[in-house]
Amino acid sequence: MTKSGQMACGTARRMNGHVKSMYFQLYTKTAATLLSLMLMMVFDTTIMVAASRTQQCGNSLLQALKLARLVQKESVDIIRTYKAAQGDLSELICKVTLYGLPDPNISGLEPSEQISSIHTSLQEFSPHFRRVYDQQTDLQLADSLLLLQLNLIRGRSQYLDVQINHVYQDLFPNSPPLVPDSSGGATSLPPPQNVFQQKVYGCVVLKTYKEFLSNVCKYLRTLKNQMCGMNIRRVNKTFF
């Protein structure tokens, strides 16, 4: 091969190497760009899912907490109305201790057990509200404010149970919903009572329910801070 031919071959090899180098760099840059876009998509999707869960958590718990506070306030008002409607010894009848009523405390170690405990207690209070309402219907005028409030608080209790179910489903989506118990759970109603016993029973039921609602409000407020704040902290810790 002549000297000029050798020079031409050398130039061609150098050009081929340069072209290969350019293709490799282009491929590397393209792959890096695609990887960066994929990571950004995963990042954005994860943030959106986490934010959605946090918002959902906050919404359901906030609604339940607002309703629990409202019903707790109404329970204070109805006790005042109840005492005024019973006549003499109204303060005395509300200080009697009765057994067989729902436990005002929330039981369970895990949030799922504790929320289920709230649901069970709300179910157990329901037949007691019906009994108190029926008894007071015989003792009060048809347009009595007490009867109106008793009917209202019973409906609010049922709606609070629905909200508690929403909280349970939002926090534990893979668990079955809390099933309503038309029998009133494990609670038992008292045997027939005379008028004085009815007055005592009604006031103690309402006082116990007020105490229960106070515990529910405290628990839901704590749960909201823990569960919803936990989701936000996880997002920040993972990506920021």
Side-chain angles (χ1 to χ4, degrees), residues 85-106:
Q86 305 310 311
D88 297 337
L89 304 178
S90 59
E91 290 296 330
L92 176 62
I93 63 176
C94 292
K95 295 180 180 179
V96 177
T97 300
L98 294 180
Y99 299 97
L101 297 180
D103 189 347
N105 298 308
I106 300 171

Side-chain angles (χ1 to χ4, degrees), residues 61-62 64-66 68-69 72 104-119 122 160 163-164 167-168 171-172 178 211-228:
L61 276 173
L62 182 60
L65 178 57
K66 284 183 177 179
R69 286 172 173 168
Q72 200 273 339
N105 298 308
I106 300 171
S107 62
L109 300 176
E110 300 295 330
S112 59
E113 298 172 342
Q114 293 159 345
I115 296 175
S116 180
S117 171
I118 295 175
H119 161 74
L122 287 169
L160 178 59
Q163 292 298 113
I164 291 298
V167 173
Y168 186 85
L171 297 182
F172 312 102
L178 301 174
E211 181 182 354
F212 165 71
L213 290 173
S214 178
N215 292 332
V216 170
C217 289
K218 293 177 183 177
Y219 173 76
L220 291 179
R221 183 171 60 250
T222 301
L223 182 65
K224 181 178 182 297
N225 293 336
Q226 290 177 346
M227 300 300 290
C228 299

Side-chain angles (χ1 to χ4, degrees), residues 3 8 11 22 29 40 56 74 81 87 102-103 109 113 118 126 135 147 181 186 203-204 208 215 226 231 236 240:
K3 185 175 181 180
T11 301
M22 290 180 61
K29 290 182 179 179
M40 289 179 64
Q56 187 181 43
E74 290 176 343
T81 304
D103 189 347
L109 300 176
E113 298 172 342
I118 295 175
S126 183
Q135 290 176 344
L147 293 180
D181 185 356
C203 195
V204 177
T208 306
N215 292 332
Q226 290 177 346
N231 285 340
N236 291 338
F240 300 101

